[in-house]
Amino acid sequence: MTDKTCKCEENARKKFGAEAREIVEAVGAGKEMAIPILQEIQKRHGYLPLDLLKEVCRHAEFSKAELYGVATFYSQFRFKPRGKHPIKVCIGTACHVGGAAAVLDALCDELKTEVGGTTEDGKYSIETVACIGCCSLAPVMMVGDQAIGNLDPLQLKKALKKVIE
Ligand code: FES
């Protein structure tokens, strides 16, 4: 009899098997536990490693497709690690009216990644958030804990340098 487990499954099992079992035992195995399980994984890793999701499904009562479906439905879940400097662009009403979409486009162009993505060098990641409470400075983004307001899409590079370097 031949072993039909592929190498990547074997590696995933070695790397995440124990952790997956521990998470499911702690949180619960039922379908209604899909979101709490995803939240626990993201709390531990900062994102959802696909191999860990696969392993979790071996111990829980939902399929990979079901868990992946839940994970992609909610914007709180990430499939890539956050950058060293997470950038959160506000898309709340005041920022939207103030040009948040143009800021977001310029930022994605500047950093050569997309919303939810992380730059190749792992330095920056881009997310969107609802109002962060600085509406009078719209449009606003947060870089780490620092809010930068009155953003001009043409001046983003300068604004980023001020807080990061
Ligand atoms: S809407 Fe952007 S800070 Fe309030």
Side-chain angles (χ1 to χ4, degrees), residues 90 92-95 131-135 138 140:
C90 178
T93 306
C95 289
C131 181
I132 52 175
C134 317
C135 305
V140 183

PDB file of all heavy atoms in Angstrom, residues 90 92-95 131-135 138 140, ligand 1:
ATOM      1  N   CYS A  90      -8.370  55.554   6.276  1.00  0.00           N
ATOM      2  CA  CYS A  90      -9.763  55.695   6.690  1.00  0.00           C
ATOM      3  C   CYS A  90     -10.651  55.891   5.456  1.00  0.00           C
ATOM      4  O   CYS A  90     -10.341  56.701   4.582  1.00  0.00           O
ATOM      5  CB  CYS A  90      -9.907  56.883   7.627  1.00  0.00           C
ATOM      6  SG  CYS A  90     -11.629  57.139   8.109  1.00  0.00           S
ATOM      7  N   GLY A  92     -14.037  56.219   6.129  1.00  0.00           N
ATOM      8  CA  GLY A  92     -15.277  56.709   6.732  1.00  0.00           C
ATOM      9  C   GLY A  92     -15.847  57.859   5.897  1.00  0.00           C
ATOM     10  O   GLY A  92     -15.203  58.332   4.961  1.00  0.00           O
ATOM     11  N   THR A  93     -17.029  58.317   6.261  1.00  0.00           N
ATOM     12  CA  THR A  93     -17.735  59.303   5.432  1.00  0.00           C
ATOM     13  C   THR A  93     -16.927  60.574   5.164  1.00  0.00           C
ATOM     14  O   THR A  93     -16.774  60.980   4.005  1.00  0.00           O
ATOM     15  CB  THR A  93     -19.089  59.670   6.093  1.00  0.00           C
ATOM     16  OG1 THR A  93     -19.791  58.455   6.336  1.00  0.00           O
ATOM     17  CG2 THR A  93     -19.909  60.573   5.204  1.00  0.00           C
ATOM     18  N   ALA A  94     -16.391  61.194   6.209  1.00  0.00           N
ATOM     19  CA  ALA A  94     -15.659  62.451   6.023  1.00  0.00           C
ATOM     20  C   ALA A  94     -14.427  62.228   5.136  1.00  0.00           C
ATOM     21  O   ALA A  94     -14.124  63.044   4.255  1.00  0.00           O
ATOM     22  CB  ALA A  94     -15.248  63.022   7.364  1.00  0.00           C
ATOM     23  N   CYS A  95     -13.735  61.130   5.348  1.00  0.00           N
ATOM     24  CA  CYS A  95     -12.541  60.841   4.548  1.00  0.00           C
ATOM     25  C   CYS A  95     -12.926  60.476   3.114  1.00  0.00           C
ATOM     26  O   CYS A  95     -12.239  60.857   2.164  1.00  0.00           O
ATOM     27  CB  CYS A  95     -11.718  59.731   5.201  1.00  0.00           C
ATOM     28  SG  CYS A  95     -10.904  60.290   6.717  1.00  0.00           S
ATOM     29  N   CYS A 131     -14.202  55.166  10.310  1.00  0.00           N
ATOM     30  CA  CYS A 131     -13.771  56.396  11.001  1.00  0.00           C
ATOM     31  C   CYS A 131     -12.832  56.127  12.171  1.00  0.00           C
ATOM     32  O   CYS A 131     -13.089  55.277  13.014  1.00  0.00           O
ATOM     33  CB  CYS A 131     -15.004  57.146  11.497  1.00  0.00           C
ATOM     34  SG  CYS A 131     -14.571  58.675  12.331  1.00  0.00           S
ATOM     35  N   ILE A 132     -11.702  56.864  12.196  1.00  0.00           N
ATOM     36  CA  ILE A 132     -10.759  56.699  13.305  1.00  0.00           C
ATOM     37  C   ILE A 132     -10.809  57.896  14.254  1.00  0.00           C
ATOM     38  O   ILE A 132      -9.944  58.048  15.114  1.00  0.00           O
ATOM     39  CB  ILE A 132      -9.320  56.454  12.786  1.00  0.00           C
ATOM     40  CG1 ILE A 132      -8.907  57.519  11.776  1.00  0.00           C
ATOM     41  CG2 ILE A 132      -9.195  55.067  12.217  1.00  0.00           C
ATOM     42  CD1 ILE A 132      -7.465  57.403  11.309  1.00  0.00           C
ATOM     43  N   GLY A 133     -11.816  58.724  14.084  1.00  0.00           N
ATOM     44  CA  GLY A 133     -12.067  59.803  15.039  1.00  0.00           C
ATOM     45  C   GLY A 133     -11.299  61.088  14.809  1.00  0.00           C
ATOM     46  O   GLY A 133     -11.212  61.923  15.697  1.00  0.00           O
ATOM     47  N   CYS A 134     -10.720  61.266  13.632  1.00  0.00           N
ATOM     48  CA  CYS A 134     -10.005  62.517  13.327  1.00  0.00           C
ATOM     49  C   CYS A 134     -10.630  63.147  12.089  1.00  0.00           C
ATOM     50  O   CYS A 134      -9.906  63.602  11.189  1.00  0.00           O
ATOM     51  CB  CYS A 134      -8.541  62.268  13.029  1.00  0.00           C
ATOM     52  SG  CYS A 134      -7.689  61.123  14.073  1.00  0.00           S
ATOM     53  N   CYS A 135     -11.945  63.195  12.044  1.00  0.00           N
ATOM     54  CA  CYS A 135     -12.640  63.610  10.813  1.00  0.00           C
ATOM     55  C   CYS A 135     -12.242  65.007  10.351  1.00  0.00           C
ATOM     56  O   CYS A 135     -12.251  65.291   9.152  1.00  0.00           O
ATOM     57  CB  CYS A 135     -14.152  63.546  11.018  1.00  0.00           C
ATOM     58  SG  CYS A 135     -14.714  61.942  11.574  1.00  0.00           S
ATOM     59  N   ALA A 138      -9.611  64.985   7.705  1.00  0.00           N
ATOM     60  CA  ALA A 138      -9.853  64.124   6.541  1.00  0.00           C
ATOM     61  C   ALA A 138      -9.203  64.676   5.267  1.00  0.00           C
ATOM     62  O   ALA A 138      -9.179  65.898   5.091  1.00  0.00           O
ATOM     63  CB  ALA A 138     -11.359  63.975   6.322  1.00  0.00           C
ATOM     64  N   VAL A 140      -7.575  60.885   6.189  1.00  0.00           N
ATOM     65  CA  VAL A 140      -6.603  60.497   7.219  1.00  0.00           C
ATOM     66  C   VAL A 140      -6.149  59.048   7.025  1.00  0.00           C
ATOM     67  O   VAL A 140      -6.924  58.204   6.577  1.00  0.00           O
ATOM     68  CB  VAL A 140      -7.261  60.585   8.623  1.00  0.00           C
ATOM     69  CG1 VAL A 140      -6.270  60.251   9.719  1.00  0.00           C
ATOM     70  CG2 VAL A 140      -7.856  61.949   8.858  1.00  0.00           C
TER      71      VAL A 140
HETATM   72  S1  FES B   1     -14.216  59.561   8.602  1.00  0.00           S
HETATM   73 FE1  FES B   1     -12.089  59.365   8.525  1.00  0.00          FE
HETATM   74  S2  FES B   1     -11.469  59.981  10.482  1.00  0.00           S
HETATM   75 FE2  FES B   1     -13.614  60.088  10.584  1.00  0.00          FE
END
